[in-house]
Amino acid sequence: MKEYSFKVTAAGRINIIGEHVDYCGGKVMPAALSLKNTVYIRPNGTNKINLSWTTLPDKVSLDIDKLESYKDLKYGNYQAGAALMWQRAGHKITGCDMLQDCTVPFGSGLSSSAAIEVSTIAALAAIAGEKPDSVEIALKAQQAEREYAGVNCGIMDQYASACGKKDSVMLLDCHTLECEYLPLQLGDYSLVITNCKKPHNLIESKYNERREETETALKLLQQRLDINCLADLTVAQFKTFATLLPPVIRKRVEHVVTECERVRVATLALKAGNMEMLGRLLNMSHASLRDNYEVTGKEPDALVDAAQSQSCCLGSRLIGGGFGGCTISLVKTKDADEFKEFVYNAYYKETGYKAEFYASDISDGITVEKLN
Ligand code: GLA
């Protein structure tokens, strides 16, 4: 790759806990993965961004003056959206060749799209000689996901992809964007990442629907309470005012309020090294995503059930937007191989899908390396 000017990477992510609360102003606990998107980039002296991929035969050429017109591309739409939002924010886009190499499995709930958007912006900035703040990149990447890809997402994925730190989880307040980094010390335990391999094609529409439900809830509650976001609502307030809410909306709010409380307790558990407590919180989070937020489904539930049935597993839950994708399980390291074998077989028997396991370190967010 010597012929390129820079090698720029941005990470995929897991989320320990704090699911579907980022767009409600809650705290989340993601961590960046060594599964990542790498962009090799060099200026090409034209007004085109020429895209190619290590894993695809496709080649795509984007006209810098028409970046808004590539929404329907199968490949290259995320790069176009990211470049467009960066351009609209007043940054110069330089014609370039970009070779993309993504090791985050697509559609897995590990945020391949955020990794692509963030690394594309960071790469464009690198060849323009800019050194932007990673948070600014995350915000523009989020805008691309919302306005270009049409998923009205929160900030968690892009923030984690841009600002992650090796061996640390982030305790990110999605209302203020304050972020505390905590060492991910799990003692005798490890996190096992498992893909249920069910394509999650409902994700965009259902995700946006959940978001609208929480916005409706906030408006209803604001008629009686002085709150800025749903995450401001305490468990006690929820109990008092729950009857103001229609039944389905009430379940959604119950998830948000209890999940925010679980993040608070999980932070204490992690700091104290209390793995049993952390595991219980993962299980409770999954139950709430299943019963109150209704974003799991047959396959993710079967995968989590198989994991939770094993005594070496302290907790397991679905992560990300839902309706498919990956789970994380907190598993005794010495028993991890047997655990995987059991889960693979039990899940296959139940659903006919072949679960996939990913080995990944917790890693940095954006990295930029000058090649020549
Ligand atoms: C997706 C979104 C995030 C977040 C999660 C659910 O990954 O992109 O903003 O809302 O779902 O926690």
Side-chain angles (χ1 to χ4, degrees), residues 38-287:
T38 302
V39 178
Y40 296 93
I41 189 167
R42 64 179 169 223
N44 64 14
T46 72
N47 69 338
K48 301 254 194 298
I49 299 174
N50 295 328
L51 296 169
S52 59
W53 287 265
T54 52
T55 49
L56 298 169
D58 307 53
K59 289 200 188 313
V60 171
S61 193
L62 309 172
D63 189 327
I64 288 173
D65 301 318
K66 293 189 193 138
L67 288 171
E68 62 291 337
S69 61
Y70 300 108
K71 285 190 183 162
D72 296 330
L73 285 182
K74 184 161 179 223
Y75 299 109
N77 56 335
Y78 287 117
Q79 288 85 347
L84 178 63
M85 297 311 155
W86 196 239
Q87 188 180 50
R88 283 196 182 153
H91 298 275
K92 182 173 166 348
I93 306 292
T94 312
C96 57
D97 302 330
M98 280 191 192
L99 173 64
Q100 306 254 337
D101 179 34
C102 194
T103 55
V104 190
F106 295 125
S108 62
L110 300 178
S111 289
S112 55
S113 62
I116 292 168
E117 291 152 350
V118 169
S119 56
T120 298
I121 295 178
L124 288 168
I127 53 162
E130 290 186 79
K131 289 206 168 72
D133 182 39
S134 299
V135 178
E136 188 194 353
I137 296 181
L139 287 167
K140 291 298 143 198
Q142 180 200 22
Q143 198 183 348
E145 185 78 34
R146 284 183 170 180
E147 293 176 21
Y148 209 85
V151 180
N152 198 10
C153 65
I155 187 61
M156 172 171 75
D157 302 351
Q158 292 78 13
Y159 195 101
S161 178
C163 306
K165 280 207 181 115
K166 189 169 167 39
D167 299 329
S168 299
V169 297
M170 290 165 254
L171 183 60
L172 172 65
D173 182 324
C174 298
H175 195 51
T176 61
L177 292 190
E178 271 165 42
C179 183
E180 185 186 346
Y181 291 86
L182 306 173
L184 183 61
Q185 283 164 353
L186 302 175
D188 296 338
Y189 289 83
S190 309
L191 286 171
V192 175
I193 306 171
T194 314
N195 190 345
C196 77
K197 296 295 282 177
K198 165 95 198 298
H200 57 166
N201 43 11
L202 279 177
I203 173 95
E204 281 95 358
S205 59
K206 288 284 179 196
Y207 185 93
N208 291 344
E209 185 185 292
R210 290 296 176 280
R211 222 190 136 143
E212 280 161 25
E213 287 166 341
T214 58
E215 277 158 18
T216 305
L218 180 61
K219 284 198 196 107
L220 288 170
L221 290 163
Q222 279 174 332
Q223 292 170 5
R224 302 288 291 276
L225 284 165
D226 183 20
I227 51 171
N228 286 317
C229 56
L230 271 191
D232 282 350
L233 193 70
T234 63
V235 176
Q237 282 173 326
F238 170 68
K239 286 191 179 142
T240 310
F241 292 98
T243 49
L244 287 182
L245 303 169
V248 171
I249 303 273
R250 192 184 307 163
K251 288 206 287 183
R252 308 298 187 242
V253 179
E254 183 171 350
H255 168 74
V256 173
V257 170
T258 57
E259 185 76 355
C260 288
E261 180 60 13
R262 285 186 285 273
V263 174
R264 191 182 69 76
V265 181
T267 306
L268 301 176
L270 193 64
K271 285 182 177 169
N274 187 341
M275 293 303 111
E276 281 77 13
M277 174 66 78
L278 187 61
R280 275 202 295 280
L281 292 162
L282 297 186
N283 289 344
M284 288 161 78
S285 172
H286 185 83

Side-chain angles (χ1 to χ4, degrees), residues 11 26 125 278 304 313 346:
L278 187 61
V304 162
C313 173

